[in-house]
Amino acid sequence: MNDMGTRSGDGTVGKALDVLDQVAGHGRPMRFAEVLAASPLPKATLYRLLQTLVNQGMLRLDAETGAYSPGLRLVRLAHMAWARSSLAPIARPFLDELSKDVCETIHLAQLDRGQVLYVDKRNARQPIEMFSGAGKVGPGYCTGVGKAMLAHLPDDERAAALPLQAFHAHTGHTITSAEALEAELAEIRAAGIAFDREEHEPGIICIAAPILSPGGRVMGALSITTSTDRRSLEDLATLKPRMIATAARIAEAASAWQFPDRTET
Amino acid sequence: MNDMGTRSGDGTVGKALDVLDQVAGHGRPMRFAEVLAASPLPKATLYRLLQTLVNQGMLRLDAETGAYSPGLRLVRLAHMAWARSSLAPIARPFLDELSKDVCETIHLAQLDRGQVLYVDKRNARQPIEMFSGAGKVGPGYCTGVGKAMLAHLPDDERAAALPLQAFHAHTGHTITSAEALEAELAEIRAAGIAFDREEHEPGIICIAAPILSPGGRVMGALSITTSTDRRSLEDLATLKPRMIATAARIAEAASAWQFPDRTET
DNA sequence: GGACTAGGTTCCATTATTTGAAACTTTAGT
DNA sequence: ACTAAAGTTTCAAATAATGGAACCTAGTCC
């Protein structure tokens, strides 16, 4: 519903993946007509595309209801992607430790096209909520992790990421312009830490630290979230050293995990 | 000019997904030349396909090393697929309970083209091993969950699934022919429960129950795994009532979760 | 230093694949 | 039985994919 100029249709494959996103992103199984209504593609084209995707196991077509839903092949790919391309497996022990330490919700996130992609999570209460946390996306401009990562992006990438932000005013505290965000990012860069001051949800605040490679590249970010009636921002700020330390240890572990190829300059 | 027996075939999209599988399935980032060597596609074609996949965020191309790895967009899709098309989110509380009850490894699995796809897992010791369990695939003919699911498949689907089995003799106990498997499946169907009698790994046994919809369709299976030096098969068998009960409750919860469409006949 | 080599990228005429309006079939509603 | 809507197939035209070969580029060897 926000910015339309999404992925430029990379030929047939692009279209197919768009359809996949469409169907997978929808909250429940979609009938053909529904998909058709939501897609710019003509009937016949869409039809064959869906057929192909089902054939490939990326979508599942329920014979009973004739509705499409994400296929199990995605779960398989999912595993591979998460296990190898995300910080989550590496960061897990550190998150566990931090979680035991401070009893608050913890997020581990990475940046994907200017958006925040949560790749792991620890809940205050529950031992662990598995996939339920991993894979979710959120806005970059009004979350702690988002701002922490954007702040430390190289100039050109940051310039590319800012126009992708929706700048929707979720609350009265939300930053709603690229200029204001740039200013905030500069502060965050200087401070080494980011805060979410009820910018996304009223009553919800967080402190976030970027995870930077030895070369200074942004690898991800982690955050501790709480609510204003449990803790104050000042209170959260006292966690800064622990967050920085944890972020550093994750970065170190991630670098060590690098394959014996060329490491960074 | 495609009379050579390509498995996928489905036009450009099929090829692209094959490449995706190839790269994601490989244990570590792949350089272009590596992918090329492992692919039947000509250089230029592969090159453009990879470009497209990177463009679409399904793969990531590390600028430093020029190596391809799974992209974060997959993680996003992953989440959706897992959250909506698998039993895992629904079954979680029941698995937790069962896990607390019996202190053994528990698996939740679904069937994907005759193969077992594990969608959730509880470890005996460790709190939870996250993705490390979900997304993995295993053989259908020599695992408890696999046999439990195959046993309750409708005749035509079972007939389609059996030829997909590898029937590799992992151990001396492995069932190595379709006929023998059919006989075992009939027994399992009658007993309502399946055992893995060291058929996959020596010393590893398990008891597995199918999760059947009210209409009798196979939705998945769950299993409790242990080793012969900790428990005997007879010992495991005493867990049967609890497994059946848990499976029934999961099935019920899953049915209740069905969207207000047409429910099963 | 120069020339060799392997990995990576681009060109472009050819060709297969995709396209989509429309016709057709099936399913659901009255 | 009739009608409307959803789903499926057809086929000529248009488009996008193809892949052999040329072309870079960076590293290596003599």
Side-chain angles (χ1 to χ4, degrees):
Chain A
M1 312 311 203
N2 9 5
D3 49 36
M4 67 243 99
T6 39
R7 327 168 189 296
S8 46
D10 267 312
T12 315
V13 176
K15 283 173 210 163
L17 294 178
D18 278 348
V19 172
L20 188 60
D21 258 0
Q22 175 67 42
V23 176
H26 201 253
R28 58 203 169 98
M30 289 178 94
R31 288 272 225 24
F32 176 75
E34 281 185 274
V35 188
L36 181 59
S39 168
L41 300 171
K43 219 180 178 187
T45 304
L46 214 219
Y47 181 74
R48 265 165 299 133
L49 229 39
L50 282 169
Q51 219 171 229
T52 301
L53 288 171
V54 169
N55 228 320
Q56 294 290 330
M58 303 298 281
L59 289 179
R60 210 161 51 86
L61 173 56
D62 183 27
E64 311 252 355
T65 65
Y68 296 88
S69 35
L72 289 181
R73 184 178 180 183
L74 272 176
V75 176
R76 220 164 55 225
L77 285 169
H79 173 57
M80 299 160 175
W82 185 88
R84 296 198 20 229
S85 277
S86 84
L87 281 176
I90 295 162
R92 173 157 10 157
F94 305 108
L95 288 198
D96 284 339
E97 192 182 314
L98 190 60
S99 170
K100 217 179 299 173
D101 202 358
V102 301
C103 263
E104 300 285 356
T105 299
I106 298 178
H107 281 114
L108 178 69
Q110 295 184 251
L111 209 53
D112 179 28
R113 297 160 182 254
Q115 305 287 100
V116 169
L117 178 74
Y118 295 100
V119 295
D120 209 351
K121 175 186 186 180
R122 293 293 180 283
N123 257 348
R125 307 286 130 135
Q126 308 261 56
I128 294 184
E129 267 190 48
M130 202 154 140
F131 245 125
S132 58
K136 269 195 195 150
V137 288
Y141 66 100
C142 63
T143 57
V145 282
K147 293 191 297 180
M149 289 189 282
L150 289 172
H152 293 268
L153 238 35
D155 292 343
D156 54 337
E157 289 183 37
R158 192 170 63 250
L162 288 201
L164 298 175
Q165 305 304 319
F167 289 117
H168 170 72
H170 292 279
T171 77
H173 300 263
T174 309
I175 295 172
T176 53
S177 79
E179 295 71 36
L181 183 55
E182 270 288 18
E184 164 88 346
L185 294 184
E187 270 185 55
I188 290 169
R189 209 157 32 239
I193 204 97
F195 290 95
D196 170 355
R197 305 178 176 85
E198 306 185 54
E199 295 161 40
H200 190 24
E201 282 183 66
I204 302 295
I205 55 177
C206 95
I207 178 172
I211 300 171
L212 302 172
S213 78
R217 258 210 5 264
V218 177
M219 310 177 82
L222 80 162
S223 71
I224 297 177
T225 306
T226 190
S227 58
T228 47
D229 49 65
R230 293 180 55 185
R231 285 173 181 246
S232 67
L233 270 172
E234 291 69 36
D235 194 4
L236 266 190
T238 63
L239 298 171
K240 175 176 167 181
R242 246 176 298 183
M243 297 224 64
I244 303 259
T246 303
R249 290 170 67 197
I250 293 173
E252 188 189 4
S255 303
W257 170 246
Q258 295 292 54
F259 313 91
D261 238 321
R262 17 191 91 258
T263 35
E264 276 150 328
T265 34
Chain B
M1 53 76 88
N2 61 348
D3 57 338
M4 296 306 296
T6 32
R7 61 185 74 268
S8 53
D10 274 313
T12 316
V13 176
K15 282 174 211 162
L17 294 178
D18 277 350
V19 172
L20 187 60
D21 258 359
Q22 176 66 43
V23 176
H26 201 252
R28 58 203 172 99
M30 290 179 93
R31 296 278 279 291
F32 176 76
E34 281 185 273
V35 189
L36 180 60
S39 168
L41 300 171
K43 220 180 179 186
T45 304
L46 213 218
Y47 181 72
R48 264 167 297 128
L49 230 38
L50 282 170
Q51 221 171 226
T52 301
L53 287 171
V54 169
N55 229 319
Q56 294 290 329
M58 303 297 281
L59 290 179
R60 210 161 50 87
L61 174 56
D62 184 26
E64 311 254 353
T65 66
Y68 296 89
S69 34
L72 289 183
R73 185 179 180 184
L74 271 177
V75 176
R76 216 163 59 223
L77 285 169
H79 172 60
M80 298 162 176
W82 184 88
R84 295 197 22 228
S85 279
S86 83
L87 280 176
I90 294 163
R92 177 166 359 170
F94 305 108
L95 288 197
D96 284 340
E97 192 182 313
L98 190 61
S99 171
K100 219 178 297 172
D101 202 359
V102 302
C103 263
E104 299 286 356
T105 298
I106 298 177
H107 281 114
L108 178 69
Q110 295 184 253
L111 209 53
D112 180 28
R113 295 160 185 255
Q115 305 286 100
V116 169
L117 178 73
Y118 295 101
V119 295
D120 208 350
K121 176 187 184 179
R122 293 292 180 284
N123 257 348
R125 304 288 130 135
Q126 309 259 55
I128 293 185
E129 264 191 49
M130 197 154 144
F131 238 32
S132 55
K136 268 195 193 150
V137 287
Y141 66 100
C142 64
T143 57
V145 283
K147 293 192 296 179
M149 289 189 283
L150 289 173
H152 293 269
L153 237 36
D155 292 343
D156 55 337
E157 289 184 37
R158 191 170 64 251
L162 287 202
L164 298 175
Q165 304 305 319
F167 290 118
H168 171 71
H170 293 279
T171 77
H173 299 264
T174 308
I175 295 172
T176 54
S177 78
E179 295 71 35
L181 183 55
E182 270 287 20
E184 164 88 346
L185 294 184
E187 267 184 57
I188 289 170
R189 209 157 32 237
I193 204 98
F195 290 95
D196 170 356
R197 305 178 175 85
E198 305 186 55
E199 295 161 40
H200 190 25
E201 283 183 65
I204 302 295
I205 55 177
C206 94
I207 177 172
I211 298 172
L212 302 173
S213 78
R217 259 209 8 261
V218 177
M219 309 176 82
L222 80 162
S223 71
I224 298 177
T225 306
T226 189
S227 60
T228 47
D229 48 65
R230 293 181 56 184
R231 286 174 181 245
S232 66
L233 269 172
E234 291 69 35
D235 194 4
L236 265 191
T238 63
L239 297 172
K240 174 176 166 181
R242 245 175 299 184
M243 297 224 65
I244 302 260
T246 303
R249 290 170 68 197
I250 293 173
E252 188 189 4
S255 303
W257 171 246
Q258 295 292 57
F259 315 90
D261 238 319
R262 12 192 92 261
T263 37
E264 276 148 331
T265 36

